[in-house]
Amino acid sequence: MLVDNQQHPVSELLVQDLIRVGVAIQRMNKHFERELNLSLVQYCVLKCLLDMPGISAHVLADTVGVHPSTLTQSIRRLSKKGYLFIDVDPLDSRKKIISITRDGKRAIDSASELIARSFSKKANLRNLLDQLKAAFPLEGKL
Amino acid sequence: MKYILSDSGLKILESFSFTQTLFAFDFDGTLSKIVPSPDDAYMSETTCDLIKKLSKRASVAIISGRSLSDLKSRLSFTPTYAIGNHGLEGPGKSENTAAKAANTCKKWKRQISVTLKSHLHGNGLSIEDKTFSLALHYRKSNQKRKIKLLILKAISHIQPPPRMILGKCVINLVPIGGPHKGMALVDLMLRSNLRSAFYIGDDDTDEDVFALSNMRILGIRVGRKRGSQAKYFIDRQSEINKLLRNLLSFYDNEMNACG
């Protein structure tokens, strides 16, 4: 069994790191929500809509890579903010199509600048983890 | 179908202006109104002015059933792309395919001219040879239904069998397996690396575009028609200027917002 120099199994260290990543991502999301009024998922949703106007929720969920139930919440929140609108598919009243609004586009344009500043373009996973940890330090040790 | 100039329709239309979109238009019945004689078709000065302005802000394509040379002669500006003969003429088109189509059209013209000889003069029927396709016009006929049936009967006997595309008082014959407007549009999107497209057309020749199951393409029909695959419509050709003005306003709003 592989261990580190303090005799902790590597798998245990990995789990701890993963937990820290999860917590850091939550903090990051909160940070962006404060600064931009957008979480990262919401940012991704709007980015997709900018690229693919008038798409269905099903395709949007697939493209963003989230569960449809997660998307439903994001869509609801973004619609409330006026960043997207939902309409009935003219050829199939059972389906909905979603598009970004002008306000949504402005939000994306502002967000993209901050996100570009916040992350290195060619960050590999380790660098990203280090950046997250540095930007969003834990309040206490695990 | 939904009216594109409604509040919600305009929101959808605006969202297409936020991304790199190819704006593609049919010509006859869309940019120019339908006229008794195809030779008299033209774009109004207002429409021309508006579409020129749009072409300075975005990529614009005209996709027509007319021959390319005929189409270009009726445009007082140079769009980003011009496609003629229902997709047979335009950038990157195969010369081999075009040559075969031209040969096929010659054969059809000979056969149809013989079969319909007695109806070709004075009955409002005319054959337009577009080199790579044929168009049989009967708009000027006083007995449209009768003439249409005669044309369809004549077409049923010609070899090789054509693909028929029905238009407004016109029957277009194109070679089976050849490109169509839908393929032409997708080809242009790939060629220009534009991931979204807007297309507006007025008749069955445009249904090849509307039928594309691609949600990146916003299809608009001139005149609402039951059974059309287009999701949106404008009421009549005269609303094209209003549509173009709205598109321009979206781009102008964006420029103003950027300062």
Side-chain angles (χ1 to χ4, degrees), chain B residues 3-36:
Chain B
Y3 186 50
I4 192 68
L5 298 173
S6 62
D7 285 343
S8 59
L10 287 173
K11 281 184 183 171
I12 291 273
L13 190 62
E14 186 180 28
S15 68
F16 273 79
S17 75
F18 295 151
T19 187
Q20 302 275 354
T21 296
L22 173 68
F23 289 93
F25 301 81
D26 168 48
F27 185 76
D28 293 273
T30 303
L31 290 175
S32 99
K33 54 185 181 184
I34 293 289
V35 288

PDB file of all heavy atoms in Angstrom, chain B residues 3-36:
ATOM      1  N   TYR B   3     -45.970  33.851 -34.971  1.00  0.00           N
ATOM      2  CA  TYR B   3     -45.665  35.098 -35.664  1.00  0.00           C
ATOM      3  C   TYR B   3     -44.343  35.642 -35.130  1.00  0.00           C
ATOM      4  O   TYR B   3     -44.229  35.960 -33.943  1.00  0.00           O
ATOM      5  CB  TYR B   3     -46.816  36.068 -35.438  1.00  0.00           C
ATOM      6  CG  TYR B   3     -46.751  37.364 -36.182  1.00  0.00           C
ATOM      7  CD1 TYR B   3     -46.520  37.408 -37.557  1.00  0.00           C
ATOM      8  CD2 TYR B   3     -46.964  38.567 -35.525  1.00  0.00           C
ATOM      9  CE1 TYR B   3     -46.496  38.610 -38.249  1.00  0.00           C
ATOM     10  CE2 TYR B   3     -46.941  39.773 -36.203  1.00  0.00           C
ATOM     11  CZ  TYR B   3     -46.708  39.792 -37.560  1.00  0.00           C
ATOM     12  OH  TYR B   3     -46.687  40.975 -38.249  1.00  0.00           O
ATOM     13  N   ILE B   4     -43.350  35.777 -35.990  1.00  0.00           N
ATOM     14  CA  ILE B   4     -42.013  36.161 -35.532  1.00  0.00           C
ATOM     15  C   ILE B   4     -41.968  37.610 -35.061  1.00  0.00           C
ATOM     16  O   ILE B   4     -41.100  37.977 -34.254  1.00  0.00           O
ATOM     17  CB  ILE B   4     -40.949  35.926 -36.640  1.00  0.00           C
ATOM     18  CG1 ILE B   4     -39.518  36.035 -36.081  1.00  0.00           C
ATOM     19  CG2 ILE B   4     -41.110  36.905 -37.804  1.00  0.00           C
ATOM     20  CD1 ILE B   4     -39.127  34.937 -35.145  1.00  0.00           C
ATOM     21  N   LEU B   5     -42.908  38.433 -35.517  1.00  0.00           N
ATOM     22  CA  LEU B   5     -42.909  39.840 -35.126  1.00  0.00           C
ATOM     23  C   LEU B   5     -43.748  40.092 -33.866  1.00  0.00           C
ATOM     24  O   LEU B   5     -44.017  41.237 -33.524  1.00  0.00           O
ATOM     25  CB  LEU B   5     -43.387  40.721 -36.295  1.00  0.00           C
ATOM     26  CG  LEU B   5     -42.488  40.654 -37.527  1.00  0.00           C
ATOM     27  CD1 LEU B   5     -43.095  41.408 -38.715  1.00  0.00           C
ATOM     28  CD2 LEU B   5     -41.097  41.225 -37.241  1.00  0.00           C
ATOM     29  N   SER B   6     -44.136  39.005 -33.184  1.00  0.00           N
ATOM     30  CA  SER B   6     -44.788  39.156 -31.871  1.00  0.00           C
ATOM     31  C   SER B   6     -43.690  39.437 -30.835  1.00  0.00           C
ATOM     32  O   SER B   6     -42.503  39.308 -31.141  1.00  0.00           O
ATOM     33  CB  SER B   6     -45.515  37.866 -31.507  1.00  0.00           C
ATOM     34  OG  SER B   6     -44.573  36.798 -31.402  1.00  0.00           O
ATOM     35  N   ASP B   7     -44.098  39.775 -29.627  1.00  0.00           N
ATOM     36  CA  ASP B   7     -43.100  40.079 -28.575  1.00  0.00           C
ATOM     37  C   ASP B   7     -42.155  38.910 -28.338  1.00  0.00           C
ATOM     38  O   ASP B   7     -40.934  39.075 -28.284  1.00  0.00           O
ATOM     39  CB  ASP B   7     -43.809  40.421 -27.250  1.00  0.00           C
ATOM     40  CG  ASP B   7     -44.412  41.816 -27.288  1.00  0.00           C
ATOM     41  OD1 ASP B   7     -44.004  42.595 -28.185  1.00  0.00           O
ATOM     42  OD2 ASP B   7     -45.282  42.126 -26.457  1.00  0.00           O
ATOM     43  N   SER B   8     -42.738  37.726 -28.199  1.00  0.00           N
ATOM     44  CA  SER B   8     -41.879  36.563 -27.904  1.00  0.00           C
ATOM     45  C   SER B   8     -41.070  36.161 -29.141  1.00  0.00           C
ATOM     46  O   SER B   8     -39.913  35.747 -29.030  1.00  0.00           O
ATOM     47  CB  SER B   8     -42.698  35.383 -27.390  1.00  0.00           C
ATOM     48  OG  SER B   8     -43.665  35.012 -28.343  1.00  0.00           O
ATOM     49  N   GLY B   9     -41.668  36.340 -30.314  1.00  0.00           N
ATOM     50  CA  GLY B   9     -40.941  36.037 -31.544  1.00  0.00           C
ATOM     51  C   GLY B   9     -39.726  36.930 -31.712  1.00  0.00           C
ATOM     52  O   GLY B   9     -38.643  36.473 -32.096  1.00  0.00           O
ATOM     53  N   LEU B  10     -39.896  38.200 -31.371  1.00  0.00           N
ATOM     54  CA  LEU B  10     -38.781  39.150 -31.500  1.00  0.00           C
ATOM     55  C   LEU B  10     -37.670  38.836 -30.502  1.00  0.00           C
ATOM     56  O   LEU B  10     -36.496  39.060 -30.776  1.00  0.00           O
ATOM     57  CB  LEU B  10     -39.278  40.588 -31.313  1.00  0.00           C
ATOM     58  CG  LEU B  10     -40.088  41.132 -32.496  1.00  0.00           C
ATOM     59  CD1 LEU B  10     -40.694  42.489 -32.165  1.00  0.00           C
ATOM     60  CD2 LEU B  10     -39.225  41.260 -33.751  1.00  0.00           C
ATOM     61  N   LYS B  11     -38.052  38.304 -29.362  1.00  0.00           N
ATOM     62  CA  LYS B  11     -37.023  37.920 -28.376  1.00  0.00           C
ATOM     63  C   LYS B  11     -36.162  36.785 -28.923  1.00  0.00           C
ATOM     64  O   LYS B  11     -34.939  36.781 -28.763  1.00  0.00           O
ATOM     65  CB  LYS B  11     -37.670  37.469 -27.068  1.00  0.00           C
ATOM     66  CG  LYS B  11     -38.126  38.595 -26.179  1.00  0.00           C
ATOM     67  CD  LYS B  11     -38.668  38.029 -24.870  1.00  0.00           C
ATOM     68  CE  LYS B  11     -39.202  39.133 -23.997  1.00  0.00           C
ATOM     69  NZ  LYS B  11     -39.929  38.604 -22.829  1.00  0.00           N
ATOM     70  N   ILE B  12     -36.824  35.816 -29.543  1.00  0.00           N
ATOM     71  CA  ILE B  12     -36.082  34.708 -30.157  1.00  0.00           C
ATOM     72  C   ILE B  12     -35.185  35.262 -31.267  1.00  0.00           C
ATOM     73  O   ILE B  12     -34.008  34.905 -31.373  1.00  0.00           O
ATOM     74  CB  ILE B  12     -37.046  33.661 -30.757  1.00  0.00           C
ATOM     75  CG1 ILE B  12     -37.789  32.922 -29.667  1.00  0.00           C
ATOM     76  CG2 ILE B  12     -36.316  32.699 -31.673  1.00  0.00           C
ATOM     77  CD1 ILE B  12     -37.058  31.716 -29.124  1.00  0.00           C
ATOM     78  N   LEU B  13     -35.755  36.118 -32.078  1.00  0.00           N
ATOM     79  CA  LEU B  13     -34.998  36.700 -33.195  1.00  0.00           C
ATOM     80  C   LEU B  13     -33.786  37.460 -32.668  1.00  0.00           C
ATOM     81  O   LEU B  13     -32.679  37.327 -33.189  1.00  0.00           O
ATOM     82  CB  LEU B  13     -35.913  37.626 -33.988  1.00  0.00           C
ATOM     83  CG  LEU B  13     -35.387  38.157 -35.317  1.00  0.00           C
ATOM     84  CD1 LEU B  13     -35.123  37.028 -36.293  1.00  0.00           C
ATOM     85  CD2 LEU B  13     -36.403  39.132 -35.925  1.00  0.00           C
ATOM     86  N   GLU B  14     -33.983  38.218 -31.620  1.00  0.00           N
ATOM     87  CA  GLU B  14     -32.882  38.995 -31.040  1.00  0.00           C
ATOM     88  C   GLU B  14     -31.774  38.069 -30.543  1.00  0.00           C
ATOM     89  O   GLU B  14     -30.587  38.363 -30.698  1.00  0.00           O
ATOM     90  CB  GLU B  14     -33.390  39.864 -29.893  1.00  0.00           C
ATOM     91  CG  GLU B  14     -32.328  40.809 -29.347  1.00  0.00           C
ATOM     92  CD  GLU B  14     -32.811  41.678 -28.213  1.00  0.00           C
ATOM     93  OE1 GLU B  14     -33.733  41.255 -27.491  1.00  0.00           O
ATOM     94  OE2 GLU B  14     -32.247  42.776 -28.050  1.00  0.00           O
ATOM     95  N   SER B  15     -32.177  36.936 -29.954  1.00  0.00           N
ATOM     96  CA  SER B  15     -31.148  36.037 -29.397  1.00  0.00           C
ATOM     97  C   SER B  15     -30.237  35.480 -30.494  1.00  0.00           C
ATOM     98  O   SER B  15     -29.085  35.149 -30.241  1.00  0.00           O
ATOM     99  CB  SER B  15     -31.800  34.905 -28.586  1.00  0.00           C
ATOM    100  OG  SER B  15     -32.520  34.027 -29.426  1.00  0.00           O
ATOM    101  N   PHE B  16     -30.756  35.410 -31.713  1.00  0.00           N
ATOM    102  CA  PHE B  16     -29.910  34.962 -32.828  1.00  0.00           C
ATOM    103  C   PHE B  16     -28.914  36.044 -33.245  1.00  0.00           C
ATOM    104  O   PHE B  16     -27.908  35.755 -33.888  1.00  0.00           O
ATOM    105  CB  PHE B  16     -30.762  34.524 -34.030  1.00  0.00           C
ATOM    106  CG  PHE B  16     -31.179  33.087 -33.966  1.00  0.00           C
ATOM    107  CD1 PHE B  16     -32.240  32.696 -33.163  1.00  0.00           C
ATOM    108  CD2 PHE B  16     -30.511  32.116 -34.690  1.00  0.00           C
ATOM    109  CE1 PHE B  16     -32.621  31.358 -33.080  1.00  0.00           C
ATOM    110  CE2 PHE B  16     -30.883  30.773 -34.609  1.00  0.00           C
ATOM    111  CZ  PHE B  16     -31.943  30.401 -33.802  1.00  0.00           C
ATOM    112  N   SER B  17     -29.193  37.272 -32.879  1.00  0.00           N
ATOM    113  CA  SER B  17     -28.257  38.341 -33.226  1.00  0.00           C
ATOM    114  C   SER B  17     -27.098  38.408 -32.231  1.00  0.00           C
ATOM    115  O   SER B  17     -26.118  39.101 -32.471  1.00  0.00           O
ATOM    116  CB  SER B  17     -28.979  39.700 -33.273  1.00  0.00           C
ATOM    117  OG  SER B  17     -29.260  40.166 -31.964  1.00  0.00           O
ATOM    118  N   PHE B  18     -27.210  37.674 -31.113  1.00  0.00           N
ATOM    119  CA  PHE B  18     -26.147  37.716 -30.108  1.00  0.00           C
ATOM    120  C   PHE B  18     -24.972  36.817 -30.481  1.00  0.00           C
ATOM    121  O   PHE B  18     -23.895  36.937 -29.917  1.00  0.00           O
ATOM    122  CB  PHE B  18     -26.669  37.263 -28.741  1.00  0.00           C
ATOM    123  CG  PHE B  18     -27.715  38.162 -28.147  1.00  0.00           C
ATOM    124  CD1 PHE B  18     -28.673  37.646 -27.300  1.00  0.00           C
ATOM    125  CD2 PHE B  18     -27.742  39.513 -28.432  1.00  0.00           C
ATOM    126  CE1 PHE B  18     -29.651  38.472 -26.749  1.00  0.00           C
ATOM    127  CE2 PHE B  18     -28.707  40.347 -27.886  1.00  0.00           C
ATOM    128  CZ  PHE B  18     -29.664  39.820 -27.039  1.00  0.00           C
ATOM    129  N   THR B  19     -25.214  35.896 -31.382  1.00  0.00           N
ATOM    130  CA  THR B  19     -24.146  34.970 -31.734  1.00  0.00           C
ATOM    131  C   THR B  19     -23.834  35.120 -33.224  1.00  0.00           C
ATOM    132  O   THR B  19     -24.501  35.871 -33.933  1.00  0.00           O
ATOM    133  CB  THR B  19     -24.543  33.515 -31.377  1.00  0.00           C
ATOM    134  OG1 THR B  19     -23.430  32.661 -31.587  1.00  0.00           O
ATOM    135  CG2 THR B  19     -25.711  33.015 -32.204  1.00  0.00           C
ATOM    136  N   GLN B  20     -22.829  34.402 -33.687  1.00  0.00           N
ATOM    137  CA  GLN B  20     -22.437  34.503 -35.093  1.00  0.00           C
ATOM    138  C   GLN B  20     -23.462  33.744 -35.929  1.00  0.00           C
ATOM    139  O   GLN B  20     -23.445  32.527 -35.981  1.00  0.00           O
ATOM    140  CB  GLN B  20     -21.048  33.885 -35.299  1.00  0.00           C
ATOM    141  CG  GLN B  20     -19.965  34.514 -34.460  1.00  0.00           C
ATOM    142  CD  GLN B  20     -19.398  35.750 -35.128  1.00  0.00           C
ATOM    143  OE1 GLN B  20     -19.747  36.071 -36.254  1.00  0.00           O
ATOM    144  NE2 GLN B  20     -18.540  36.452 -34.425  1.00  0.00           N
ATOM    145  N   THR B  21     -24.352  34.482 -36.551  1.00  0.00           N
ATOM    146  CA  THR B  21     -25.456  33.872 -37.303  1.00  0.00           C
ATOM    147  C   THR B  21     -25.365  34.234 -38.770  1.00  0.00           C
ATOM    148  O   THR B  21     -25.043  35.368 -39.122  1.00  0.00           O
ATOM    149  CB  THR B  21     -26.804  34.371 -36.728  1.00  0.00           C
ATOM    150  OG1 THR B  21     -26.940  33.909 -35.385  1.00  0.00           O
ATOM    151  CG2 THR B  21     -27.987  33.875 -37.541  1.00  0.00           C
ATOM    152  N   LEU B  22     -25.648  33.262 -39.601  1.00  0.00           N
ATOM    153  CA  LEU B  22     -25.746  33.499 -41.044  1.00  0.00           C
ATOM    154  C   LEU B  22     -27.206  33.856 -41.347  1.00  0.00           C
ATOM    155  O   LEU B  22     -28.106  33.078 -41.041  1.00  0.00           O
ATOM    156  CB  LEU B  22     -25.348  32.234 -41.819  1.00  0.00           C
ATOM    157  CG  LEU B  22     -25.543  32.267 -43.333  1.00  0.00           C
ATOM    158  CD1 LEU B  22     -24.586  33.260 -43.974  1.00  0.00           C
ATOM    159  CD2 LEU B  22     -25.335  30.880 -43.934  1.00  0.00           C
ATOM    160  N   PHE B  23     -27.435  35.017 -41.927  1.00  0.00           N
ATOM    161  CA  PHE B  23     -28.797  35.430 -42.273  1.00  0.00           C
ATOM    162  C   PHE B  23     -29.026  35.122 -43.755  1.00  0.00           C
ATOM    163  O   PHE B  23     -28.416  35.734 -44.625  1.00  0.00           O
ATOM    164  CB  PHE B  23     -28.993  36.921 -41.978  1.00  0.00           C
ATOM    165  CG  PHE B  23     -29.031  37.203 -40.511  1.00  0.00           C
ATOM    166  CD1 PHE B  23     -27.875  37.557 -39.828  1.00  0.00           C
ATOM    167  CD2 PHE B  23     -30.207  37.079 -39.792  1.00  0.00           C
ATOM    168  CE1 PHE B  23     -27.895  37.796 -38.463  1.00  0.00           C
ATOM    169  CE2 PHE B  23     -30.234  37.315 -38.416  1.00  0.00           C
ATOM    170  CZ  PHE B  23     -29.068  37.673 -37.752  1.00  0.00           C
ATOM    171  N   ALA B  24     -29.891  34.158 -44.006  1.00  0.00           N
ATOM    172  CA  ALA B  24     -30.105  33.692 -45.377  1.00  0.00           C
ATOM    173  C   ALA B  24     -31.534  33.963 -45.822  1.00  0.00           C
ATOM    174  O   ALA B  24     -32.473  33.826 -45.028  1.00  0.00           O
ATOM    175  CB  ALA B  24     -29.804  32.190 -45.473  1.00  0.00           C
ATOM    176  N   PHE B  25     -31.668  34.359 -47.056  1.00  0.00           N
ATOM    177  CA  PHE B  25     -32.961  34.764 -47.600  1.00  0.00           C
ATOM    178  C   PHE B  25     -33.217  34.095 -48.938  1.00  0.00           C
ATOM    179  O   PHE B  25     -32.329  34.029 -49.797  1.00  0.00           O
ATOM    180  CB  PHE B  25     -32.984  36.284 -47.823  1.00  0.00           C
ATOM    181  CG  PHE B  25     -32.737  37.108 -46.590  1.00  0.00           C
ATOM    182  CD1 PHE B  25     -31.441  37.317 -46.142  1.00  0.00           C
ATOM    183  CD2 PHE B  25     -33.787  37.673 -45.896  1.00  0.00           C
ATOM    184  CE1 PHE B  25     -31.197  38.076 -45.000  1.00  0.00           C
ATOM    185  CE2 PHE B  25     -33.551  38.433 -44.753  1.00  0.00           C
ATOM    186  CZ  PHE B  25     -32.256  38.634 -44.303  1.00  0.00           C
ATOM    187  N   ASP B  26     -34.443  33.680 -49.134  1.00  0.00           N
ATOM    188  CA  ASP B  26     -34.913  33.319 -50.459  1.00  0.00           C
ATOM    189  C   ASP B  26     -35.119  34.644 -51.207  1.00  0.00           C
ATOM    190  O   ASP B  26     -35.196  35.712 -50.576  1.00  0.00           O
ATOM    191  CB  ASP B  26     -36.246  32.553 -50.298  1.00  0.00           C
ATOM    192  CG  ASP B  26     -36.991  32.379 -51.608  1.00  0.00           C
ATOM    193  OD1 ASP B  26     -36.358  31.959 -52.593  1.00  0.00           O
ATOM    194  OD2 ASP B  26     -38.195  32.682 -51.639  1.00  0.00           O
ATOM    195  N   PHE B  27     -35.209  34.585 -52.533  1.00  0.00           N
ATOM    196  CA  PHE B  27     -35.394  35.835 -53.267  1.00  0.00           C
ATOM    197  C   PHE B  27     -36.859  36.086 -53.668  1.00  0.00           C
ATOM    198  O   PHE B  27     -37.515  36.979 -53.100  1.00  0.00           O
ATOM    199  CB  PHE B  27     -34.489  35.857 -54.514  1.00  0.00           C
ATOM    200  CG  PHE B  27     -34.531  37.162 -55.256  1.00  0.00           C
ATOM    201  CD1 PHE B  27     -33.871  38.280 -54.767  1.00  0.00           C
ATOM    202  CD2 PHE B  27     -35.270  37.284 -56.432  1.00  0.00           C
ATOM    203  CE1 PHE B  27     -33.941  39.510 -55.437  1.00  0.00           C
ATOM    204  CE2 PHE B  27     -35.335  38.500 -57.101  1.00  0.00           C
ATOM    205  CZ  PHE B  27     -34.672  39.617 -56.607  1.00  0.00           C
ATOM    206  N   ASP B  28     -37.361  35.312 -54.608  1.00  0.00           N
ATOM    207  CA  ASP B  28     -38.713  35.555 -55.123  1.00  0.00           C
ATOM    208  C   ASP B  28     -39.766  35.274 -54.063  1.00  0.00           C
ATOM    209  O   ASP B  28     -39.808  34.197 -53.487  1.00  0.00           O
ATOM    210  CB  ASP B  28     -38.981  34.663 -56.346  1.00  0.00           C
ATOM    211  CG  ASP B  28     -38.110  35.049 -57.521  1.00  0.00           C
ATOM    212  OD1 ASP B  28     -38.511  35.929 -58.285  1.00  0.00           O
ATOM    213  OD2 ASP B  28     -37.020  34.464 -57.664  1.00  0.00           O
ATOM    214  N   GLY B  29     -40.597  36.269 -53.818  1.00  0.00           N
ATOM    215  CA  GLY B  29     -41.649  36.105 -52.822  1.00  0.00           C
ATOM    216  C   GLY B  29     -41.192  36.408 -51.419  1.00  0.00           C
ATOM    217  O   GLY B  29     -41.981  36.383 -50.469  1.00  0.00           O
ATOM    218  N   THR B  30     -39.907  36.692 -51.258  1.00  0.00           N
ATOM    219  CA  THR B  30     -39.364  36.980 -49.926  1.00  0.00           C
ATOM    220  C   THR B  30     -38.720  38.365 -49.942  1.00  0.00           C
ATOM    221  O   THR B  30     -39.231  39.304 -49.362  1.00  0.00           O
ATOM    222  CB  THR B  30     -38.363  35.894 -49.500  1.00  0.00           C
ATOM    223  OG1 THR B  30     -39.023  34.629 -49.533  1.00  0.00           O
ATOM    224  CG2 THR B  30     -37.827  36.138 -48.099  1.00  0.00           C
ATOM    225  N   LEU B  31     -37.580  38.466 -50.608  1.00  0.00           N
ATOM    226  CA  LEU B  31     -36.968  39.796 -50.742  1.00  0.00           C
ATOM    227  C   LEU B  31     -37.675  40.612 -51.827  1.00  0.00           C
ATOM    228  O   LEU B  31     -37.731  41.842 -51.757  1.00  0.00           O
ATOM    229  CB  LEU B  31     -35.474  39.677 -51.082  1.00  0.00           C
ATOM    230  CG  LEU B  31     -34.595  39.149 -49.945  1.00  0.00           C
ATOM    231  CD1 LEU B  31     -33.155  38.965 -50.444  1.00  0.00           C
ATOM    232  CD2 LEU B  31     -34.608  40.093 -48.750  1.00  0.00           C
ATOM    233  N   SER B  32     -38.184  39.926 -52.825  1.00  0.00           N
ATOM    234  CA  SER B  32     -38.944  40.609 -53.872  1.00  0.00           C
ATOM    235  C   SER B  32     -40.340  40.009 -53.908  1.00  0.00           C
ATOM    236  O   SER B  32     -40.511  38.821 -53.621  1.00  0.00           O
ATOM    237  CB  SER B  32     -38.258  40.432 -55.224  1.00  0.00           C
ATOM    238  OG  SER B  32     -38.869  39.411 -55.957  1.00  0.00           O
ATOM    239  N   LYS B  33     -41.327  40.845 -54.212  1.00  0.00           N
ATOM    240  CA  LYS B  33     -42.683  40.282 -54.212  1.00  0.00           C
ATOM    241  C   LYS B  33     -42.902  39.439 -55.470  1.00  0.00           C
ATOM    242  O   LYS B  33     -42.192  39.599 -56.472  1.00  0.00           O
ATOM    243  CB  LYS B  33     -43.727  41.391 -54.087  1.00  0.00           C
ATOM    244  CG  LYS B  33     -43.648  42.497 -55.083  1.00  0.00           C
ATOM    245  CD  LYS B  33     -44.677  43.561 -54.727  1.00  0.00           C
ATOM    246  CE  LYS B  33     -44.625  44.679 -55.740  1.00  0.00           C
ATOM    247  NZ  LYS B  33     -45.538  45.780 -55.390  1.00  0.00           N
ATOM    248  N   ILE B  34     -43.879  38.558 -55.379  1.00  0.00           N
ATOM    249  CA  ILE B  34     -44.216  37.711 -56.533  1.00  0.00           C
ATOM    250  C   ILE B  34     -44.846  38.600 -57.612  1.00  0.00           C
ATOM    251  O   ILE B  34     -45.726  39.410 -57.328  1.00  0.00           O
ATOM    252  CB  ILE B  34     -45.205  36.598 -56.115  1.00  0.00           C
ATOM    253  CG1 ILE B  34     -44.540  35.610 -55.157  1.00  0.00           C
ATOM    254  CG2 ILE B  34     -45.743  35.855 -57.328  1.00  0.00           C
ATOM    255  CD1 ILE B  34     -43.496  34.701 -55.762  1.00  0.00           C
ATOM    256  N   VAL B  35     -44.366  38.432 -58.839  1.00  0.00           N
ATOM    257  CA  VAL B  35     -44.882  39.212 -59.968  1.00  0.00           C
ATOM    258  C   VAL B  35     -45.334  38.264 -61.075  1.00  0.00           C
ATOM    259  O   VAL B  35     -44.876  37.116 -61.105  1.00  0.00           O
ATOM    260  CB  VAL B  35     -43.809  40.193 -60.502  1.00  0.00           C
ATOM    261  CG1 VAL B  35     -43.584  41.340 -59.520  1.00  0.00           C
ATOM    262  CG2 VAL B  35     -42.501  39.472 -60.757  1.00  0.00           C
ATOM    263  N   PRO B  36     -46.210  38.708 -61.969  1.00  0.00           N
ATOM    264  CA  PRO B  36     -46.723  37.805 -63.016  1.00  0.00           C
ATOM    265  C   PRO B  36     -45.614  37.193 -63.874  1.00  0.00           C
ATOM    266  O   PRO B  36     -45.655  36.026 -64.225  1.00  0.00           O
ATOM    267  CB  PRO B  36     -47.640  38.706 -63.848  1.00  0.00           C
ATOM    268  CG  PRO B  36     -48.055  39.792 -62.918  1.00  0.00           C
ATOM    269  CD  PRO B  36     -46.886  40.012 -62.003  1.00  0.00           C
TER     270      PRO B  36
END
